[in-house]
Amino acid sequence: MSRSTERKKSWWEKCCPCCASNRGEDTEDYVSSTGGGFIDRPGRPTDRPRDPDGSGRGTGSETGTDTVTDTVTGPRTGEGRDRSDRNTDINLDDLPSGEISRTALQIQSVDLLKSRNGENRQSHHTDQYEYEDLIVRRGKPFKISITFKRSFNIKSDQIAVILQMANGQPITLPLIKEFDEGGWGCQVSDVSGQKVMLWVNTSAQAPVGKYQLSVRTQCPGGSYAHPTDSSLKVYLLFNPWCRMDAVFMDNEAWLQEYVLNENGRIYYGTEYQIGERSWSYGQFDKGVLDAVMYILDRGGLSPTSRGDPISVTRVISAMVNSMDDNGVIAGSWADDYPDGVNPVAWVGSVDILLRFHQTGSSVKYGQCWVFAGVTTTVLRCLGIPGRTITNFASAHDTDGNLTFDVYFDENMKPLEDKNSDSVWNYHCWNDCWMTRPDLPPGYSGWQAIDATPQETSSGTYCCGPCPLLAIKNGLVNIKYDTPFLFSEVNSDKVFYQRMANGQFKKVHVEERAVGHCISTKAVGSYAREDITYLYKYPEGSAEERNSVRTAAQYGNKPMAVAEPLQTEDIVMTVESQDGVLTGSDINVRVLLNNRSSSRRSLSLTMSVAVMYYNGVCKESFKNDTRNVSINPGETKSVGMLVSYNEYRTHLLDQAAMMLTVSGIVQETGQKLAKQHTFRIRTPDLDIKVNSHCVL
């Protein structure tokens, strides 16, 4: 094995053990103990650039600015200066600008080795980005090549790499012997005359963003600051392949899906008829990475906060919508969109992100699946594992009481002006993967965030990140926004009747009304994966009921229980037949089962209204009242026909309708209430190829 190969093996082991397969030998000491240097380790000499004014900038030429002169500085030679002066350690920032030493280590060129087919980008899983710049992931070393104007002296010459983000302080990476795991630093890999190959490593907690790279040298004869070159820019991303990164994911199949896959499926419809739409995430497309960096800039994230995925994802959930901060997408749930794009027309994220970056204005328009699709793109582009989630029968709790409330008048007819809570046919949000050091142990892993602007969080329209485990167990005291997310998937539906004195009383509690068929695209295929079990325990189980009680306890609200009645022996269920958008009529029926030993009579009210997919209904267009008598033990069916001519002029996007059924049993006073959604689906499309494929 060659000497250079031994050095590389040792470097990989010491700098990035999560990427090494075998332990190497101790790294040879490339740093001279007598020469000036940037070493900053316990028990070793320290000679970092000083910061006399506390500004984070030295007294010499700085990197990260638009221009800087090609400057070599060093001690003067000649009369009046003895030999010991010439061998004194030199600090870069203490040297006068413009002084040139013949023996200083001047740089001829710096090569970032940024080819998409090269080792750097392939080993960092960034070769798919349609950029010709260096894109790397934090906590993992990369190589650069430096050519000097004289031969490099491994015993006395020193090199420092400087990385600086816009508006951030410069970070100096000195040439050092040993590396802290996941820390900053650089090390010589190979020397060939004037050419040096250098390993550069960034901290696994480094802020993500775009950096300007520059190089300085120092030797007994002087120091040199290479002029700023705009082509020497480095994009630094989160690294889910690095064990020391907060977004580390120890499953290669998951990484391929949740970070590298550009194509997805987003689910919609109802739990009884689940549809899917293809979505192009396009996180590697040209311009998308710059658009994502622009989002972080617009979100006001400081350079230091960009290293924390908790802060980053919270800002993403705020910036993808246009509320508060004129973010990426303006939402609209109107009937038409004359000044923008109908949300159903979008098929991917790229056009939206590029438009936002080019114009600086919110793109019109989006709804929940558009917000979620764009959020997935932003997450994956930054290196945070992410996926799009659809929750069917998703509650929107507007008053924060952890229940979905429905109000009726004295005759059990809906009070539309008071019914502000809603159940969306479906709602889309995102899961993202990270550790949660800000919470007690056990809450790392999948976290929910929601970019659709529904309710504010600390005064801003954002939501999450929230651990799925906290949602599942009803621990609404765990941050962030757990009460709202818990209500979406596991709130009880509570029906109230107005009494003669104007007060309302609970007459019915439906425990299985929301949070069904929670779905995402399966890993490695286009199948739908049901992940309801991650968000809630099985409906009606002791664990699920305990989660509801726990949420009520932390929310300082007692668990919803209907006021007991002497007799409750009529059981009501609703069935419907989905129509097809070809002019078909729809049959709905209410099944009433009398479990008593006596005859029962009741008055039943049924109304049908067209519904937006977010659960908001227009005024009902068909109403019917029936008087029904049911013999002991009998099950009676009460049907309603909704004709095409009745509903065709009322249909909205996605063609959903809601049937509300309510009634009162005359003999016992039992109150009946049920809401049932159904939709008109598009016809099935079969494509058949009549001939064989010709290549």
Side-chain angles (χ1 to χ4, degrees):
M1 182 182 295
S2 69
R3 185 176 184 83
S4 62
T5 304
E6 290 178 349
R7 290 175 182 169
K8 293 178 186 177
K9 182 178 180 182
S10 175
W11 153 254
W12 279 89
E13 174 63 22
K14 289 182 177 295
C15 182
C16 192
C18 63
C19 302
S21 58
N22 298 295
R23 179 167 296 279
E25 301 297 328
D26 288 340
T27 305
E28 182 175 345
D29 188 354
Y30 292 110
V31 183
S32 169
S33 61
T34 59
F38 301 96
I39 304 174
D40 187 7
R41 297 182 59 77
R44 298 185 184 272
T46 301
D47 190 17
R48 285 183 180 273
R50 291 200 294 269
D51 184 17
D53 62 359
S55 66
R57 301 179 64 84
T59 57
S61 299
E62 275 296 348
T63 59
T65 55
D66 291 335
T67 58
V68 66
T69 57
D70 187 350
T71 304
V72 182
T73 57
R76 297 176 184 271
T77 59
E79 286 185 45
R81 188 177 298 275
D82 62 35
R83 188 173 301 275
S84 62
D85 262 344
R86 293 196 296 272
N87 292 325
T88 301
D89 289 355
I90 301 167
N91 188 303
L92 294 179
D93 290 332
D94 289 341
L95 295 171
S97 176
E99 189 170 5
I100 300 178
S101 170
R102 295 177 182 176
T103 58
L105 184 62
Q106 300 184 47
I107 297 171
Q108 180 172 308
S109 63
V110 178
D111 186 353
L112 296 185
L113 308 176
K114 57 191 179 182
S115 168
R116 292 177 63 181
N117 297 323
E119 177 186 353
N120 278 341
R121 292 191 52 179
Q122 289 199 351
S123 65
H124 282 253
H125 306 280
T126 60
D127 52 302
Q128 294 187 62
Y129 288 88
E130 296 176 2
Y131 281 72
E132 299 307 318
D133 305 290
L134 180 60
I135 306 172
V136 293
R137 300 188 187 275
R138 64 186 192 176
K140 182 179 178 64
F142 60 92
K143 268 186 178 180
I144 64 173
S145 174
I146 305 175
T147 302
F148 298 102
K149 294 184 179 179
R150 66 165 173 80
S151 294
F152 181 76
N153 188 329
I154 202 167
K155 294 183 177 180
S156 60
D157 292 336
Q158 293 291 303
I159 308 170
V161 173
I162 296 91
L163 292 171
Q164 185 171 15
M165 189 183 296
N167 302 319
Q169 295 295 326
I171 303 169
T172 300
L173 285 66
L175 194 66
I176 59 180
K177 173 186 175 182
E178 297 178 358
F179 288 85
D180 293 326
E181 292 185 2
W184 300 95
C186 56
Q187 192 176 60
V188 172
S189 169
D190 189 39
V191 177
S192 178
Q194 297 173 231
K195 188 173 183 178
V196 174
M197 298 295 290
L198 202 65
W199 285 113
V200 180
N201 195 61
T202 57
S203 168
Q205 290 77 46
V208 299
K210 185 163 62 174
Y211 288 81
Q212 176 68 45
L213 183 144
S214 59
V215 181
R216 297 181 185 180
T217 66
Q218 184 167 288
C219 64
S223 65
Y224 175 83
H226 192 58
T228 298
D229 183 347
S230 61
S231 68
L232 299 180
K233 60 183 177 182
V234 180
Y235 292 89
L236 189 63
L237 308 179
F238 289 101
N239 190 354
W241 283 268
C242 177
R243 292 182 182 277
M244 299 189 66
D245 198 306
V247 301
F248 171 66
M249 177 176 272
D250 192 16
N251 186 313
E252 185 59 33
W254 285 23
L255 289 165
Q256 293 295 321
E257 181 68 44
Y258 299 134
V259 179
L260 300 181
N261 192 0
E262 293 188 87
N263 300 302
R265 294 289 187 272
I266 302 179
Y267 300 96
Y268 68 98
T270 70
E271 61 187 289
Y272 305 106
Q273 188 188 33
I274 297 176
E276 63 179 50
R277 53 169 54 91
S278 298
W279 193 266
S280 174
Y281 295 121
Q283 66 266 32
F284 304 125
D285 278 24
K286 181 67 176 176
V288 170
L289 181 56
D290 285 318
V292 170
M293 296 301 171
Y294 177 65
I295 290 172
L296 298 186
D297 292 340
R298 283 278 295 266
L301 266 179
S302 67
T304 54
S305 297
R306 295 189 185 200
D308 176 20
I310 301 170
S311 300
V312 170
T313 54
R314 190 154 173 81
V315 166
I316 290 171
S317 77
M319 278 299 302
V320 169
N321 68 72
S322 66
M323 306 295 287
D324 310 310
D325 41 31
N326 296 316
V328 180
I329 308 164
S332 177
W333 286 262
D335 291 338
D336 53 48
Y337 312 91
D339 59 340
V341 176
N342 187 324
V344 300
W346 298 113
V347 295
S349 307
V350 175
D351 286 348
I352 296 171
L353 289 167
L354 295 184
R355 288 191 195 188
F356 176 67
H357 188 206
Q358 291 164 3
T359 66
S361 300
S362 301
V363 178
K364 300 177 180 179
Y365 288 103
Q367 293 178 6
C368 72
W369 70 92
V370 182
F371 292 112
V374 170
T375 298
T376 297
T377 299
V378 174
L379 291 171
R380 294 183 183 181
C381 184
L382 288 173
I384 302 173
R387 60 188 184 185
T388 306
I389 304 299
T390 301
N391 176 39
F392 292 94
S394 186
H396 179 184
D397 177 21
T398 58
D399 55 12
N401 66 354
L402 303 180
T403 59
F404 169 55
D405 303 320
V406 183
Y407 293 89
F408 295 87
D409 65 12
E410 295 84 349
N411 299 314
M412 289 300 293
K413 293 183 179 180
L415 294 170
E416 300 298 346
D417 59 339
K418 192 169 179 60
N419 291 329
S420 58
D421 289 349
S422 60
V423 173
W424 299 38
N425 279 352
Y426 67 94
H427 179 52
C428 299
W429 62 75
N430 298 87
D431 284 348
C432 51
W433 183 272
M434 68 187 71
T435 60
R436 291 299 299 267
D438 58 324
L439 298 177
Y443 291 101
S444 297
W446 288 119
Q447 316 284 317
I449 61 173
D450 191 348
T452 301
Q454 297 180 84
E455 302 295 330
T456 59
S457 173
S458 300
T460 301
Y461 279 97
C462 65
C463 185
C466 171
L468 267 58
L469 187 63
I471 300 170
K472 184 173 183 175
N473 289 291
L475 297 172
V476 296
N477 59 318
I478 297 292
K479 59 183 181 183
Y480 292 92
D481 308 308
T482 311
F484 183 80
L485 288 159
F486 173 84
S487 297
E488 287 189 301
V489 302
N490 208 16
S491 57
D492 287 343
K493 194 171 187 178
V494 184
F495 296 85
Y496 293 88
Q497 181 186 22
R498 186 172 61 196
M499 310 307 293
N501 61 4
Q503 299 296 312
F504 287 87
K505 110 177 152 175
K506 296 173 193 169
V507 295
H508 181 61
V509 176
E510 190 175 343
E511 297 178 351
R512 307 186 184 193
V514 303
H516 304 147
C517 301
I518 303 175
S519 303
T520 191
K521 177 188 171 296
V523 173
S525 78
Y526 287 111
R528 182 182 68 89
E529 180 181 3
D530 192 311
I531 59 168
T532 308
Y533 69 97
L534 292 177
Y535 277 87
K536 60 193 297 186
Y537 292 101
E539 289 282 8
S541 66
E543 295 89 348
E544 187 266 341
R545 287 291 89 195
N546 185 60
S547 295
V548 176
R549 282 189 291 270
T550 301
Q553 174 188 346
Y554 281 112
N556 296 317
K557 179 184 180 295
M559 185 174 174
V561 179
E563 297 181 12
L565 296 171
Q566 291 183 349
T567 305
E568 191 167 303
D569 47 29
I570 299 295
V571 177
M572 180 173 67
T573 57
V574 180
E575 297 178 349
S576 65
Q577 172 194 15
D578 286 341
V580 181
L581 281 174
T582 54
S584 64
D585 298 336
I586 303 169
N587 287 299
V588 297
R589 63 174 183 166
V590 180
L591 300 176
L592 300 166
N593 175 238
N594 182 2
R595 296 184 177 180
S596 74
S597 58
S598 303
R599 186 182 178 86
R600 295 287 184 252
S601 301
L602 64 150
S603 176
L604 204 64
T605 299
M606 297 180 289
S607 62
V608 181
V610 168
M611 182 178 69
Y612 295 93
Y613 87 94
N614 63 356
V616 176
C617 290
K618 298 177 71 173
E619 186 175 350
S620 58
F621 64 84
K622 184 177 180 70
N623 299 278
D624 196 3
T625 300
R626 305 282 185 88
N627 293 316
V628 183
S629 295
I630 314 172
N631 294 321
E634 180 185 10
T635 297
K636 181 164 285 190
S637 175
V638 179
M640 172 187 278
L641 177 68
V642 183
S643 69
Y644 174 72
N645 288 332
E646 288 177 312
Y647 70 74
R648 67 182 180 86
T649 59
H650 300 280
L651 286 181
L652 302 169
D653 288 341
Q654 304 185 50
M657 286 183 271
M658 175 182 284
L659 170 67
T660 301
V661 184
S662 59
I664 303 175
V665 179
Q666 296 177 4
E667 291 82 2
T668 63
Q670 178 186 351
K671 309 300 187 300
L672 302 172
K674 195 81 172 179
Q675 289 183 317
H676 177 79
T677 60
F678 56 96
R679 72 185 186 97
I680 315 301
R681 64 179 180 86
T682 54
D684 294 331
L685 178 63
D686 293 326
I687 300 177
K688 296 181 179 180
V689 179
N690 294 323
S691 60
H692 296 291
C693 179
V694 178
L695 296 178

